[in-house]
Amino acid sequence: MQPFTTLSGVAAPLDRVNVDTDQIIPKQFLKRIERTGFGPFCFFDWRYKDDGSLNPDFELNQPEYQAASILVAGRNFGCGSSREHAPWALEDMGIRAVLAPSFADIFFNNCFKNGMLPVVLPESVIEELLARAKERPGYALTIDLENQVVSDQEGVIAAFDVDPFRKECLIRGLDDIGLTMQHEPEITRFETSRNVNLPTTPVLA
Amino acid sequence: MTTPKTLFEKIWETHLVREASGEPALLYIDLHLVHEVTSPQAFEGLRLTGRKVRRPDLTVATMDHNVPTWARNLPVTDEISKQQLDALASNCKEFGVPLYDLDSDKQGIVHVIGPELGLTQPGMTIVCGDSHTSTHGAFGALAFGIGTSEVEHVLATQTLQQARPKTMEVRIDGHLPAGVTAKDIILGVIGRIGTAGGTGYVIEYTGQAIRDLSMEGRMTVCNMSIEAGARAGMIAPDQKTFDYVAGRPHAPSGKDFERAVAEWRHLPTDDGATYDRLEVFNGPDLTPFVTWGTNPGMVVPISGRVPDPSSAHDEGERRATERALEYMGLTPGTLIEDIPIDRVFLGSCTNGRIEDLRDAAAVIKGRKVNPRVYAMVVPGSMPVKVQAEAEGLHEIFIAAGFDWRTAGCSMCLGMNPDILKPGERCASTSNRNFEGRQGKGGRTHLVSPQMAAAAAIAGHFVDIRTWEPTA
């Protein structure tokens, strides 16, 4: 996994609440069997008009946000479907961190599995960041994961919390499965010591 | 004396493989359900790292999201869908995972077939790369949706790294009035606590109205826990649960079943156990609900009106309401009963089971679908379809003018050819009314099967409590 240490980049404002994963990556693109290549379809229904041209009214289509690597959004970002295609699509579009007042659970987990950082900040801070990103062309932020602070050119804006284990995994780019496999003897011990009859799953005729 | 524990705590604690400070817990997974959409990249990950599926005997796959619901005998014509279905078949073969494919008479929506086959049992941990895995919590199991990286993790290790969630009791006191269903309970709950109200929690539903529900009704309630943002929803197992599981193909039998039931009886939350949060509803006050907006929390009673953005609590909600009304093509103040509909979708992992079809059939029997409406029934599984046909329900639907399909997720998410056209308005028994969910520009209103059936006949929403059965 790609490590995440410090990220500096343009912040794009998506001033909407409850952005669901159906919006981030609509169902017709979930048929791909790869992890990559979802970027062009990210926010598809908002981003493009029916004739396939870019929708000039969609916030993220403004020229100043094309190089953005940070997304600032409203509360409950990533709600709905468990599709990991959502963080894949954002990442493929160049976004490596999302800042919001709150996130839906599964999306939040999925980000960490892909070297992406979801940052929870107070609603008032997000409002301020949304305003600055809208008003100042090229407004950039720096997210320092080691020190857990978000800053801009003028200085530190806010500190944020992150689970220490997840932080370590992100900074070192660790593979979860590899970590768990180090505990293989414990898994085997658990399996052999249980006194339960689990249903097994052979296909029935 | 031991500390009183909740249902959740009992399952969590008996599935801990490892718990160390500064790390997430490592939780053992008893059953891993797999489908074609969220698994190909996970299998590919195993291939790239040379890993195997640790417990294929605790893993089962089916095809549901992408499958056509008509002409099942013909090859799948959507090339990309076909590629994904073929990928699941070849992955299952390569890794030894049992698969119910399109040729199987057991195929169906993953959350319908798990319980149907008796794979879903009390006290288990169950995961699937699908947010509606919460459905299985109806059996007193801890069941939740995971992302594809976690699917790969479970395939490789049969465990999951998990932070311990908080617990919430949602208690529904008293009995439900006639015409008010499990779907209305959960829409009412989401309407009050909001689509993020349950974030970070596992909900346990308790109270008389929950105990009154059939197993299928309980599945409907738990199914939409994720729409309240909750990690999972659960209901304590009781005699109804044991009777439902008894005799199913993968359920234990004879002495083994008795032993299992004796264990399952210890699962319900102990007297004196506490939850982190409590929400209480009065069952007799609940009504049939209809969503008006673009998330399941945007919901009002059938007797209500489309809300006015100016009555929103804050600026974010006001703008979300305005955006939703614009997308939905609705005017504030419109009576819900005055909203005309174009389509009806009866099906999904929320409401695609036999009781749902029976309830809907009872509403439409001897009547005709309104000429302005195209209505379809998609049974949740092939066994549901077979059962419905044995009861003659299909004849009632077909005589009324409904399209009678084969099993799959279908228009709940429109990954197959079943989608809404832009601007079409649909009364749907599914679980999400997000923008574009059922087709770009499509407008979805979530309702119970009875309410959907009545709307199909009337051509607009009607209060099922006032519906006169045909003589």
Side-chain angles (χ1 to χ4, degrees), chain A residues 32-36 38 88 177, chain B residues 34-53 83-84 86-88 90-92 94-95 97 148-149 151-153 155-156:
Chain A
R32 296 167 57 86
I33 57 175
E34 301 84 17
R35 265 179 193 259
T36 52
F38 290 95
W88 295 339
I177 299 177
Chain B
V34 173
H35 65 83
E36 76 274 18
V37 178
T38 56
S39 66
Q41 296 86 353
F43 284 113
E44 181 64 12
L46 294 183
R47 257 192 298 275
L48 290 172
T49 47
R51 290 167 179 152
K52 294 183 170 21
V53 175
Q83 191 188 20
Q84 198 168 55
D86 290 347
L88 181 65
S90 68
N91 284 328
C92 286
E94 180 181 346
F95 289 94
V97 172
T148 296
S149 295
V151 168
E152 185 179 338
H153 192 283
L155 288 172

Side-chain angles (χ1 to χ4, degrees), chain A residues 15-18 20 22-23 27 30-35 45-46 48 50 75-76 80-85 88 103 105-106 109-110 113 165 175-178 180-181 183-184 186-188 190-191 194 198-205, chain B residues 14-15 18 22 24 28 30 41 51 54-57 59 66 78 80-81 84 98-100 106 119 121 129-131 145-149 152-153 159 161 195-196 199 231 249-250 295 319 323 413-415 432 434-437 439-440:
Chain A
D15 191 2
R16 307 184 187 209
V17 297
N18 295 316
D20 59 76
D22 274 77
Q23 295 318 317
K27 69 240 166 211
L30 306 186
K31 298 178 184 181
R32 296 167 57 86
I33 57 175
E34 301 84 17
R35 265 179 193 259
D45 288 354
W46 289 344
Y48 303 100
D50 288 341
R75 62 177 178 258
N76 199 27
S81 158
S82 63
R83 59 188 70 166
E84 197 163 316
H85 312 67
W88 295 339
F103 291 87
D105 219 21
I106 305 177
N109 285 336
N110 284 342
K113 312 287 182 191
F165 180 81
D175 161 29
D176 277 356
I177 299 177
T180 296
M181 282 187 143
H183 305 305
E184 204 281 331
E186 283 163 90
I187 300 172
T188 302
F190 181 87
E191 284 176 329
R194 289 179 89 193
L198 290 178
T200 55
T201 56
V203 168
L204 303 167
Chain B
T14 52
H15 287 80
R18 177 187 163 82
Y28 197 78
D30 294 334
Q41 296 86 353
R51 290 167 179 152
R54 181 181 176 90
R55 296 295 302 268
D57 61 324
T59 311
N66 256 308
D78 178 334
I80 313 174
S81 286
Q84 198 168 55
L99 167 69
Y100 290 97
K106 310 276 193 304
L119 288 165
Q121 295 173 18
D130 189 282
S131 60
I146 55 178
T148 296
S149 295
E152 185 179 338
H153 192 283
T159 64
Q161 297 177 359
T195 52
T199 304
R231 193 90 260 256
H250 288 281
N295 73 51
R319 275 186 292 128
R323 196 186 294 277
L413 84 166
M415 275 193 78
R432 290 194 175 127
F434 296 153
E435 283 183 34
R437 169 85 175 177
K440 186 174 180 179

Side-chain angles (χ1 to χ4, degrees), chain A residues 16 20-29 40-55 57-58 61 83, chain B residues 327 413 420 422 434-442:
Chain A
R16 307 184 187 209
D20 59 76
T21 54
D22 274 77
Q23 295 318 317
I24 299 172
I25 184 79
K27 69 240 166 211
Q28 63 268 37
F29 307 109
F41 314 120
C42 197
F43 297 116
F44 189 83
D45 288 354
W46 289 344
R47 198 161 153 200
Y48 303 100
K49 295 201 286 192
D50 288 341
D51 63 7
S53 62
L54 283 180
N55 174 6
D57 297 335
F58 180 50
N61 281 343
R83 59 188 70 166
Chain B
Y327 179 85
L413 84 166
L420 296 179
F434 296 153
E435 283 183 34
R437 169 85 175 177
Q438 295 192 298
K440 186 174 180 179

Side-chain angles (χ1 to χ4, degrees), chain B residues 28-33 119-121 124-128 133 136-137 141-145:
Chain B
Y28 197 78
I29 302 303
D30 294 334
L31 177 64
H32 185 191
L33 304 164
L119 288 165
T120 303
Q121 295 173 18
M124 294 172 74
T125 48
I126 301 174
V127 296
C128 174
T133 308
H136 307 263
L142 175 60
F144 52 91

